[in-house]
Amino acid sequence: MTETKKTPLLDELEKGPWPSFVKEIKKAAAHNISSQDLLGQLELSYEDKKAHWKHGGLVGVMGYGGGVIGRYSDVPEQFPNIEMFHTIRLNQPSGWYYNTKALRQVCDVWEKYGSGLTNLHGATGDMVLLGTKTEYIQTIFDEVSNFEEHPMDLGGSGSNLRTPSCCAGPARCEFAMIDTLDLCHDLTNEFQDYLHRPMWPYKSKIKISGCPNDCVASIARSDISIQGTWRDDIKINQEAVREYVAGGFDINGMVISKCPTKCIAWDGNELTIDNANCTRCMHCINKMTKALRPGDDRGATILIGGKAPILQGAMMGWVIVPFMKLESGSGYEELKEFLEKVWEWWDENGKTRERLGELILRLGMRNFLRAIELEPIPQMVMAPRANPFFFWWPEETVQD
Ligand code: HEM
Ligand code: HEM
Ligand code: SF4
Ligand code: SF4
């Protein structure tokens, strides 16, 4: 679209008090020819009530199968400047901490070789740069990976390990029980091959939260969710509890009655917790931060099977390892061995586009547990009272 065309349908989307992506694309279109064509094609999509993009096509850089997501227009004769409109994923730093120099470097590259449009950070966590041509991809990669300060790698895309992501963790949050930033960085480096060379049935995601508040929503959005936790007793400062109550805090309404396992009690003077029955949900701690603290014996709970829709419906992860010690500096060996076993089983048995959780449902928890060499335990039950979930092997049952 070299001459300026009218976009009456898109213009509708600029009305109202909300920010509008149309307004932003128009801004980019003022000095970028591919953004002009993007507006034109989008208008056509609204007229035709259908998307005019083709999925896929192989685009990549030397040695990498992931990180570049191919998009082609199905009406290139009308919009030649977006005949190709590929997306680049850049691996975000742990916890999304950029300095301004790093951001400027990325923007400069993207104004030079791309549409100038980004949607900073999708569910994967990567910085997402929208719209470039095949001929620029290698140059973009060479430039970002050679930034003077903060060189950047591509993120994951395709049937491989997606860019691991984590919460702000110990950098900014008093609740972090594991060093999410260190762990995320360590796993990203350790499994670089899986990130860049797609070879699995489908995507696999790891997300890491420092505590069960799960600020990166790892339980809903990742096949493997790692959440910091503790396994000793919650620390109680009784004096501080009494101060809360004296100050008018509704301890029964806000805390006692909301404990999911009803394991916390208040007799008017003392708060008691039956720690054996505490699920470490953090609710009481969140409500009374001055009085309650997690214990000192810290590590992580590992959940498995979370994913958005597509084949089966949306699934939440469920507990597979209630507690694993994860200390920065010690190499995270136990976790890495566990991940390798999980992926190996999924890779061998999964059908194309079948996520880990779906495969476990299809082949059964029994097979999964045998493959990853874990004993069944009650914490693995996916939903209380809904499924027995574990079945004995024939050789383990005795018949009279
Ligand atoms: C009906 C139309 C569309 C729907 C429902 C849709 C839906 C989605 C969803 C659910 C995601 C995952 C988001 C995330 O991970 O945060 C996604 C990501 C993506 N979409 Fe779309 N999409 C549509 C159209 C398009 C079009 C037209 C393009 C390209 C021109 C496109 C390019 C992408 C890319 C490159 C990603 C990955 C971005 C990222 O990692 O955040 N999509 N889309
Ligand atoms: C032209 C139409 C569409 C395009 C271009 C598109 C594109 C995409 C892309 C690029 C992704 C990210 C995949 C990845 O992470 O590699 C995605 C994910 C997703 N899309 Fe679509 N999509 C479209 C239509 C739809 C529609 C109609 C739905 C739902 C009815 C949908 C639901 C989803 C969901 C739920 C995900 C996330 C899957 C996950 O994280 O497991 N998409 N889509
Ligand atoms: S998940 Fe926990 S540790 Fe991470 S930012 Fe949220 S509250 Fe803090
Ligand atoms: S952490 Fe959750 S389960 Fe444990 S005592 Fe507090 S509210 Fe109850």
Side-chain angles (χ1 to χ4, degrees):
M1 188 175 79
T2 28
E3 84 278 22
T4 311
K5 280 202 184 140
K6 301 220 173 325
T7 54
L9 296 171
L10 292 185
D11 297 347
E12 285 298 307
L13 300 175
E14 289 183 283
K15 296 180 181 164
W18 311 280
S20 163
F21 68 97
V22 172
K23 203 171 276 170
E24 296 305 316
I25 302 178
K26 281 184 178 172
K27 271 195 230 161
H31 44 81
N32 184 296
I33 199 162
S34 65
S35 286
Q36 285 172 24
D37 273 8
L38 182 65
L39 275 177
Q41 179 172 306
L42 203 53
E43 180 72 15
L44 182 68
S45 283
Y46 276 84
E47 281 166 23
D48 294 351
K49 299 192 168 50
K50 82 189 249 287
H52 281 290
W53 296 104
K54 295 188 277 193
H55 255 156
L58 264 188
V59 276
V61 300
M62 293 268 287
Y64 281 52
V68 185
I69 304 160
R71 286 286 180 280
Y72 297 88
S73 170
D74 73 1
V75 280
E77 48 310 318
Q78 287 186 60
F79 305 105
N81 298 303
I82 52 166
E83 180 176 6
M84 301 162 234
F85 201 69
H86 312 317
T87 293
I88 308 256
R89 282 183 168 155
L90 294 186
N91 194 324
Q92 83 281 9
S94 283
W96 304 287
Y97 288 101
Y98 300 92
N99 68 16
T100 49
K101 168 118 189 233
L103 292 170
R104 279 196 196 96
Q105 283 174 323
V106 174
C107 292
D108 288 346
V109 165
W110 202 238
E111 282 184 350
K112 214 161 9 151
Y113 303 112
S115 69
L117 295 169
T118 97
N119 64 334
L120 208 72
H121 304 146
T124 314
D126 303 299
M127 188 181 267
V128 174
L129 308 177
L130 294 160
T132 190
K133 295 180 177 168
T134 310
E135 68 207 70
Y136 295 138
I137 286 170
Q138 186 71 43
T139 314
I140 293 167
F141 173 66
D142 291 343
E143 292 203 7
V144 300
S145 59
N146 284 304
F147 281 158
E148 260 170 55
E149 281 172 53
H150 315 290
M152 293 187 186
D153 198 359
L154 298 187
S157 66
S159 292
N160 61 4
L161 178 63
R162 296 305 176 79
T163 321
S165 69
C166 66
C167 73
R172 203 149 49 91
C173 181
E174 60 184 313
F175 289 134
M177 274 164 277
I178 50 175
D179 188 342
T180 55
L181 304 162
D182 181 65
L183 178 60
C184 186
H185 187 65
D186 189 300
L187 294 180
T188 305
N189 288 330
E190 176 80 18
F191 297 119
Q192 269 213 329
D193 256 13
Y194 299 156
L195 255 164
H196 296 313
R197 285 172 256 294
M199 55 190 177
W200 284 342
Y202 198 16
K203 64 178 102 167
S204 184
K205 299 184 176 178
I206 300 178
K207 295 196 193 295
I208 307 163
S209 283
C211 80
N213 284 330
D214 196 12
C215 290
V216 289
S218 66
I219 189 172
R221 303 191 306 143
S222 61
D223 305 81
I224 295 147
S225 150
I226 301 170
Q227 301 186 6
T229 189
W230 67 98
R231 69 179 157 187
D232 51 348
D233 294 351
I234 292 180
K235 292 191 269 193
I236 308 175
N237 176 341
Q238 298 292 355
E239 207 40 58
V241 178
R242 286 181 208 114
E243 268 173 40
Y244 268 103
V245 177
F249 179 70
D250 175 12
I251 193 168
N252 285 312
M254 300 294 281
V255 176
I256 310 300
S257 64
K258 297 254 165 48
C259 168
T261 55
K262 305 279 175 268
C263 70
I264 183 165
W266 166 247
D267 66 4
N269 183 50
E270 287 259 300
L271 191 77
T272 41
I273 298 178
D274 171 10
N275 282 277
N277 280 310
C278 164
T279 56
R280 287 147 182 87
C281 73
M282 294 284 296
H283 175 76
C284 58
I285 298 172
N286 289 334
K287 288 290 172 211
M288 306 170 75
T289 42
K290 289 183 190 147
L292 301 178
R293 288 273 132 187
D296 292 324
D297 186 9
R298 295 169 174 196
T301 296
I302 298 169
L303 299 94
I304 214 140
K307 62 173 234 7
I310 300 232
L311 285 191
Q312 305 259 353
M315 287 162 67
M316 302 272 266
W318 64 92
V319 172
I320 198 78
V321 180
F323 188 89
M324 187 185 281
K325 207 77 195 160
L326 281 182
E327 270 160 333
S328 45
S330 64
Y332 309 117
E333 285 317 314
E334 189 185 355
L335 175 65
K336 288 173 187 171
E337 275 167 34
F338 167 83
L339 291 171
E340 292 279 11
K341 277 190 241 170
V342 168
W343 286 326
E344 194 185 326
W345 180 78
W346 170 60
D347 191 27
E348 256 169 39
N349 296 286
K351 296 188 205 166
T352 309
R353 292 181 83 74
E354 188 174 45
R355 298 280 285 268
L356 177 61
E358 292 159 332
L359 177 64
I360 296 174
L361 289 189
R362 180 164 65 82
L363 293 187
M365 186 72 160
R366 179 174 69 172
N367 284 299
F368 176 61
L369 290 181
R370 181 168 275 189
I372 63 163
E373 299 169 278
L374 283 182
E375 291 294 317
I377 50 170
Q379 284 93 330
M380 291 171 183
V381 171
M382 195 186 194
R385 293 165 211 272
N387 59 342
F389 214 66
F390 180 76
F391 298 93
W392 299 106
W393 289 92
E395 66 269 22
E396 287 168 346
T397 58
V398 184
Q399 295 196 348
D400 293 329

